[in-house]
Amino acid sequence: MTNNLSVVVNADAQQVWTMLREPSLVAQWHGWEADDLADEIKQIYFNTDVVEGPDHTSLTVNGGDIFELHPVSGGTEVRITRVALDHDSEWADWDEDITQGWLTFLHQLRFALERHPHGHRRTHFVTLPGKGGPAIEKLGLGDLPPVGEEYSLTLATGEKISGKVWFKSRHQVGLTVHSYAEHGDGLLIVAEQLPIPEKRPDGGSMVIASTYDLGAHTLADIRSSWDNWKAENYGS
């Protein structure tokens, strides 16, 4: 279980709060592009069960998980406290997936606010079955420098990428990628998914590539490289 669900964002608490309370801004860090993203955001962050703290430093989202904002040296710590697991819930088997998802989204929140506070991201999302082997290793991301240091490598997809290591955890890696943005950089996150008996017995992986202001052809090339690599290594 992942216990450290927090990031320090180089922004004040009001800026972070705004990113949590405007649907169009939540879409810049929660999840990835999908037909049902707007509905998902509404259900999680703007449902009638959602509770805003009176001082705008806490937010209890639908389901009971709590965002807390704490001013610290260097900005604002954003912390998520998971609700106690209900073993009878339909979501019980997916509890660790939800925890890992929050970790991913916290790092996407930090990236959006620090690097592209007024940007509009375009994403490419890839799911991979577990039988093909861990994606982090297959992509060549198993031996990265420490967080904050620069890297330069060629992914197994054939893409040559460079930037800095954004974060690393037990099951995830995040990299800034210069070629994923016209100005500045984009973000690549690769996350391993743990096995779930009878539902996902072999585990799996997911990839979220967040890009900014790229031309249509450049974005299409990035998407094609990921999709072709998936087909070659995991089947269609």
Side-chain angles (χ1 to χ4, degrees):
M1 176 66 72
T2 299
N3 296 314
N4 184 24
L5 289 175
S6 68
V7 294
V8 174
V9 181
N10 185 15
D12 62 39
Q14 182 56 51
Q15 290 173 299
V16 177
W17 183 257
T18 300
M19 292 292 282
L20 294 175
R21 302 314 296 143
E22 293 188 14
S24 63
L25 296 180
V26 176
Q28 299 309 308
W29 58 268
H30 176 93
W32 49 86
E33 284 183 86
D35 292 339
D36 61 351
L37 178 60
D39 290 338
E40 179 174 302
I41 288 171
K42 182 178 180 181
Q43 179 68 18
I44 294 173
Y45 300 95
F46 300 95
N47 184 280
T48 54
D49 294 332
V50 172
V51 179
E52 295 184 354
D55 55 357
H56 289 181
T57 60
S58 69
L59 179 72
T60 303
V61 299
N62 187 22
D65 294 343
I66 302 171
F67 282 76
E68 295 176 289
L69 311 184
H70 301 277
V72 295
S73 175
T76 303
E77 181 189 24
V78 186
R79 183 186 308 155
I80 296 177
T81 301
R82 295 293 322 278
V83 68
L85 174 61
D86 178 0
H87 292 279
D88 295 325
S89 166
E90 63 178 314
W91 296 104
D93 289 340
W94 304 97
D95 190 67
E96 181 61 12
D97 269 28
I98 295 170
T99 297
Q100 292 295 325
W102 280 135
L103 181 63
T104 299
F105 300 161
L106 280 174
H107 284 286
Q108 291 185 161
L109 168 62
R110 177 191 162 211
F111 185 83
L113 197 46
E114 291 187 0
R115 301 297 180 90
H116 295 278
H118 306 294
H120 176 71
R121 70 172 180 154
R122 300 295 309 277
T123 65
H124 189 54
F125 176 68
V126 183
T127 58
L128 304 168
K131 286 186 176 180
I136 289 175
E137 297 296 333
K138 288 179 72 70
L139 285 164
L141 302 177
D143 188 25
L144 292 169
V147 172
E149 291 195 7
E150 295 184 353
Y151 76 91
S152 180
L153 57 85
T154 300
L155 291 170
T157 63
E159 287 183 276
K160 294 182 179 180
I161 63 172
S162 61
K164 290 186 177 181
V165 179
W166 189 247
F167 78 97
K168 291 194 289 187
S169 70
R170 184 177 179 184
H171 300 296
Q172 302 189 37
V173 297
L175 305 173
T176 69
V177 181
H178 295 318
S179 57
Y180 281 8
E182 179 67 23
H183 305 286
D185 43 23
L187 183 66
L188 174 66
I189 293 178
V190 182
E192 306 295 352
Q193 298 169 316
L194 300 180
I196 300 175
E198 299 181 6
K199 295 182 174 68
R200 194 176 61 210
D202 299 310
S205 305
M206 71 174 188
V207 176
I208 307 174
S210 294
T211 72
Y212 296 85
D213 303 318
L214 296 180
H217 291 298
T218 302
L219 180 57
D221 286 345
I222 291 171
R223 288 173 166 168
S224 292
S225 70
W226 281 106
D227 292 343
N228 291 339
W229 177 78
K230 176 181 178 179
E232 292 169 2
N233 289 270
Y234 296 87
S236 56

